[in-house]
Amino acid sequence: ASCSVFLILVNKTISMSFPFAWTVVALQNTGTILCSTFLHLYGKVILRQLKPHQVLPLLIDAVLLVVVLLSSFKALEEVSVPLYVVIRNTVPFLTAVCERVALKKPMDMMLIVALLITFLGTVLYSVTDFTIRYNGAIYAISNAVLVAGMCTYERYLMTSANLGMSAIDINFHRVVLSMPMIFVLGYFEGFPGTLLDLAARRYEAALVASSAVAAFGIGTLLLALQGEVSATTIQVANVAYKCATTVVSRLTHPSELTIAGVIGYCICTSGVLTYTLTRGRAAKKDK
């Protein structure tokens, strides 16, 4: 959660003064590769060589990762942090729908009720956010849908795909497989020349370096959780860090906020909490 809060706020800060998203992503992914390799060399983890049957599933995950990163950076460039968080609050329910379709997990009436409450709060907040831009909203919504799909797919990789890989293995190899795509996209924005521009900005360079460590932590820990709990549960657990992100962002990235916007945010959060508080009872009924 700490890594997630930090990474969202840092990426928002970086996007405001250094608009070269793929350069940032390339450096963050390089940090993941270096951290994983360091832990492997010192015997803390074991990185296994990728086998032929593992390449395609991880290549798909790598493509999803690149698209999710693109939509996330574009959204943070265009919308306020609170609006980004509100839209991302729909991810648990989108994930539940994906799990229902792909993994045949059941849905119940309380999930639908909670989804409607969250949707109402999201709409109310969105129409009162005067900083919103059409493109930013599209990117933020697309990001929520893509995150839900990727979370469900990674749940499948960790539990049903029989890959025989640990969380750090999957995170390492998907990042490695994504690097050629990221370098190509970075080339069109001026990479590697943008590295010289970043080197001249000590503050932004320090933020990028620290965000690389956070990106490694998020990727590895999230994949480890996929093997232990459902993808929907993970996304519901994100509510706490999203609230923390919103509170901190009021200090680091202040934006105009109306009373109706506050009400919309509370309604949206209550929808997610409605889902969370009814999960235990639903699980008991299933048994």
Side-chain angles (χ1 to χ4, degrees), residues 11-80:
N11 282 344
K12 175 66 175 178
T13 302
I14 294 170
S15 68
M16 294 171 65
S17 58
F18 186 74
F20 302 108
W22 294 114
T23 300
V24 175
V25 171
L27 292 173
Q28 288 176 344
N29 280 4
T30 299
T32 294
I33 293 171
L34 292 176
C35 287
S36 300
T37 303
F38 175 82
L39 292 175
H40 172 74
L41 292 175
Y42 278 82
K44 300 298 182 181
V45 299
I46 298 175
L47 293 175
R48 299 173 180 83
Q49 186 174 356
L50 202 59
K51 298 178 181 178
H53 76 280
Q54 298 168 334
V55 174
L56 182 58
L58 290 185
L59 184 59
I60 294 172
D61 197 26
V63 173
L64 286 172
L65 176 64
V66 171
V67 179
V68 164
L69 289 170
L70 170 62
S71 60
S72 179
F73 267 99
K74 290 296 184 181
L76 285 170
E77 286 177 3
E78 300 285 345
V79 303
S80 64

Side-chain angles (χ1 to χ4, degrees), residues 61-119:
D61 197 26
V63 173
L64 286 172
L65 176 64
V66 171
V67 179
V68 164
L69 289 170
L70 170 62
S71 60
S72 179
F73 267 99
K74 290 296 184 181
L76 285 170
E77 286 177 3
E78 300 285 345
V79 303
S80 64
V81 173
L83 178 59
Y84 179 81
V85 168
V86 165
I87 293 176
R88 283 290 296 268
N89 273 346
T90 63
V91 170
F93 309 105
L94 295 172
T95 305
V97 172
C98 290
E99 288 190 312
R100 171 60 179 169
V101 173
L103 304 180
K104 307 303 180 185
K105 291 182 68 68
M107 294 179 68
D108 55 57
M109 184 56 65
M110 286 310 301
L111 170 62
I112 297 173
V113 171
L115 173 58
L116 291 175
I117 295 173
T118 303
F119 180 75

Side-chain angles (χ1 to χ4, degrees), residues 15-265:
S15 68
M16 294 171 65
S17 58
F18 186 74
F20 302 108
W22 294 114
T23 300
V24 175
V25 171
L27 292 173
Q28 288 176 344
N29 280 4
T30 299
T32 294
I33 293 171
L34 292 176
C35 287
S36 300
T37 303
F38 175 82
L39 292 175
H40 172 74
L41 292 175
Y42 278 82
K44 300 298 182 181
V45 299
I46 298 175
L47 293 175
R48 299 173 180 83
Q49 186 174 356
L50 202 59
K51 298 178 181 178
H53 76 280
Q54 298 168 334
V55 174
L56 182 58
L58 290 185
L59 184 59
I60 294 172
D61 197 26
V63 173
L64 286 172
L65 176 64
V66 171
V67 179
V68 164
L69 289 170
L70 170 62
S71 60
S72 179
F73 267 99
K74 290 296 184 181
L76 285 170
E77 286 177 3
E78 300 285 345
V79 303
S80 64
V81 173
L83 178 59
Y84 179 81
V85 168
V86 165
I87 293 176
R88 283 290 296 268
N89 273 346
T90 63
V91 170
F93 309 105
L94 295 172
T95 305
V97 172
C98 290
E99 288 190 312
R100 171 60 179 169
V101 173
L103 304 180
K104 307 303 180 185
K105 291 182 68 68
M107 294 179 68
D108 55 57
M109 184 56 65
M110 286 310 301
L111 170 62
I112 297 173
V113 171
L115 173 58
L116 291 175
I117 295 173
T118 303
F119 180 75
L120 175 63
T122 301
V123 171
L124 180 59
Y125 186 95
S126 299
V127 298
T128 60
D129 188 335
F130 301 110
T131 66
I132 189 173
R133 299 178 185 175
Y134 176 77
N135 288 343
I138 293 299
Y139 280 124
I141 294 170
S142 299
N143 179 256
V145 174
L146 290 165
V147 168
M150 186 172 75
C151 194
T152 303
Y153 180 69
E154 289 175 347
R155 167 72 174 168
Y156 164 75
L157 291 182
M158 292 298 296
T159 61
S160 306
N162 297 320
L163 290 181
M165 302 176 71
S166 66
I168 198 168
D169 266 333
I170 292 179
N171 192 44
F172 174 79
H173 289 295
R174 73 169 179 172
V175 167
V176 171
L177 290 172
S178 72
M179 290 302 278
M181 293 178 278
I182 290 171
F183 284 140
V184 170
L185 292 167
Y187 175 78
F188 289 105
E189 68 176 15
F191 185 85
T194 50
L195 293 175
L196 297 176
D197 187 11
L198 180 62
R201 308 182 186 202
R202 293 184 179 180
Y203 178 65
E204 286 82 357
L207 289 178
V208 171
S210 58
S211 71
V213 178
F216 166 73
I218 291 174
T220 301
L221 294 175
L222 183 58
L223 279 166
L225 285 173
Q226 301 286 18
E228 302 296 330
V229 297
S230 73
T232 304
T233 299
I234 291 172
Q235 293 304 329
V236 170
N238 285 340
V239 176
Y241 97 71
K242 288 173 183 173
C243 289
T245 302
T246 303
V247 171
V248 176
S249 74
R250 300 305 301 158
L251 301 174
T252 60
H253 303 87
S255 59
E256 185 176 353
L257 191 61
T258 64
I259 297 298
V262 173
I263 294 173
Y265 184 88

